Amino acid sequence: MTGARLGQGAIMLAECTVVVPTIGRPSLDVLLDALAAAPGPRPAELVVVDDRPEGPGLTVERPGLPPVRVVRTGGGGPARARNLGWRTARTAWVAFLDDDVVPDPDWYQRLAEDLAGLPADVAGSQGRVRVPLPGDRRPTDWERGTAGLATSSWITADLAYRRAALAAVGGFDERFPRAFREDSDLALRVMDTGSRLVRGQRWITHPVRPVDRWVSVRVQAGNADDVLMRRLHGPDWRERADAALGRRPQHLAVTAAGVAALGLAAARRPRAAALAALAWAAGTAEFARARIAPGPRDRAEVTTMALTSAAIPPLATWHWLRGVVRHRRVTPWRGLPDLVLFDRDGTLVRDYPYNGDPELVRPVPGAREAVEALRARGVRVGVVSNQSGVARGIITRDQVDACMARLDALLGPFETVQVCPHGPDDGCACRKPAPGMVVAACAGLGVDPARCVVIGDIGADVEAAAAAGAVGILVPTPVTRRQEVASAPRRAPTLTAAVDDVLAGRW
């Protein structure tokens, strides 16, 4: 790499964060060692998302890595882990790597080249994947399945997205509970906005991890996720996502034959039951043969294929039916907002009119937990507060600032604090219900107002949100007028309930 290209690469990677979700597998150390040893410019930050429900902290620091930050989800699954990773990032690009891949030595350099100069309509760049298979024997069923990653589209084993593109669609849909289809779903939603995804020239190696005999049985749970994909993207989703149908029709037929055999036997119709059982046995044998023939055909593989080929059709059908029931009323994923702005008095803290005493800044019940819950999911938080007592000469701006500092000490840190010191007759653009403070908070943090929620206790808070293009949620108190409650499009009985709705995507 020439000096000029090296400089361009350093500039490009300064606008990129690498996100690695992990459950603490030993392969994480292999990945981190490879990233530490690789030459070339470094990205702005490496965010390791610990997705274990509990356990001691991960040891990730080592010489050669970019600045490292570890954040924890508490075990929310791969979609939530990736969401927390990109929400934590503050760069224009976010590059996702799985914790069981090994990037090539020139991965940093190639990543910089792949991202440099991409047109504005390109939202993401996928790396290339190689899956090493044994050279001294035929691959097993599991090895062949893993090898399919080499030709898969839009998998996040190595995929860089513009952060703005992720924010625009709400990131990964957390209703996909496992590492399956959540990346295809995201890609389709991003492309539905008119953006393109391209393939870069960087490479990673995806080793075939060791598994037990029953792994092919467990992965049948993904059939429920296929139902979710169809509900969200329509019957042509497979063609758009480059995802093969597989053997589900055959599994359904084999399962139907097995159920029929049992039912006919219970009805004391032995001849019909025998015919149905023969159909089940033939279908199961054909399935087992199709899996055994291309494999090593040793005793362990043949035994595994025979056992699992009998179990897979009914399990695949069961999970598919479970998905049909569970996802029958599914709605498009909205994700979390990028920013939640709180009114101060009456919403976050008890309302003492024209308060200038920091000692009287006392959070309402559940305020700390609500704000921390948002931060834990990567949602930015801020405050927008009318303080007309300054204009009225009741309190000073220094007193307002002292109370805000006390609030920050109790519930902070807040990423933006907007204060309007004007009175109702001053005609300013910042006093709620005017949108000025909401607009300024969003502009200062680079957030689209449509991805912002304002939570307050009076109608002016909700009206300011609407005027700015944001979403308002009213949390009534005894001072809230009845007509304000009646006219608010979104209401919650408590601050905790309002934040719970936001975190559940109901905003």
Side-chain angles (χ1 to χ4, degrees), residues 128-153:
R128 298 178 183 270
V129 183
R130 70 172 69 87
V131 179
L133 295 177
D136 58 344
R137 58 168 174 79
R138 294 179 176 184
T140 65
D141 179 71
W142 176 249
E143 289 167 341
R144 295 194 305 275
T146 304
L149 295 173
T151 56
S152 296
S153 296

Side-chain angles (χ1 to χ4, degrees), residues 109-331:
Q109 301 170 9
R110 295 294 187 183
L111 174 64
E113 294 170 3
D114 287 345
L115 300 185
L118 286 177
D121 69 328
V122 174
S125 167
Q126 180 178 338
R128 298 178 183 270
V129 183
R130 70 172 69 87
V131 179
L133 295 177
D136 58 344
R137 58 168 174 79
R138 294 179 176 184
T140 65
D141 179 71
W142 176 249
E143 289 167 341
R144 295 194 305 275
T146 304
L149 295 173
T151 56
S152 296
S153 296
W154 322 132
I155 59 172
T156 44
D158 179 0
L159 185 55
Y161 274 106
R162 293 187 192 272
R163 192 186 186 282
L166 295 168
V169 299
F172 293 86
D173 189 334
E174 296 176 16
R175 293 170 297 188
F176 290 90
R178 67 201 109 250
F180 185 69
R181 302 300 190 211
E182 85 292 352
D183 42 14
S184 297
D185 166 74
L186 174 64
L188 293 184
R189 286 187 287 118
V190 169
M191 289 189 287
D192 283 343
T193 67
S195 296
R196 291 187 294 132
L197 302 178
V198 299
R199 291 182 184 270
Q201 296 302 314
R202 64 194 184 277
W203 283 87
I204 60 169
T205 297
H206 194 302
V208 180
R209 70 177 187 269
V211 292
D212 62 61
R213 168 173 287 176
W214 304 105
V215 63
S216 60
V217 172
R218 292 195 298 274
V219 300
Q220 299 310 311
N223 283 278
D225 302 326
D226 284 351
V227 177
L228 179 55
M229 288 291 289
R230 183 183 175 90
R231 292 279 193 266
L232 293 171
H233 300 288
D236 65 340
W237 74 268
R238 289 185 179 278
E239 179 180 351
R240 297 176 59 210
D242 192 22
L245 174 61
R247 297 181 62 99
R248 185 178 303 135
Q250 295 94 318
H251 291 338
L252 181 60
V254 170
T255 301
V259 172
L262 294 174
L264 291 167
R268 298 183 179 180
R269 297 176 59 187
R271 185 183 298 273
L275 289 174
L278 183 62
W280 171 85
T284 301
E286 184 277 329
F287 180 38
R289 180 183 179 282
R291 300 172 72 203
I292 291 170
R297 305 182 193 177
D298 56 28
R299 177 178 296 181
E301 180 74 357
V302 171
T303 302
T304 297
M305 293 302 97
L307 293 172
T308 58
S309 294
I312 285 175
L315 280 173
T317 302
W318 162 252
H319 286 297
W320 178 76
L321 291 172
R322 180 172 59 86
V324 168
V325 173
R326 173 174 294 182
H327 302 307
R328 64 190 183 279
R329 294 191 181 95
V330 71
T331 57

Side-chain angles (χ1 to χ4, degrees), residues 354 384-398 400-401 404 417-432 437:
Y354 307 119
V384 286
S385 180
N386 287 349
Q387 293 295 326
S388 66
V390 176
R392 301 172 194 269
I394 300 172
I395 55 176
T396 66
R397 182 57 192 259
D398 287 344
V400 170
D401 292 342
M404 287 297 185
V417 174
Q418 303 289 327
V419 174
C420 172
H422 306 110
D425 299 325
D426 290 345
C428 69
C430 52
R431 177 178 169 82
K432 296 176 289 185
M437 287 191 289

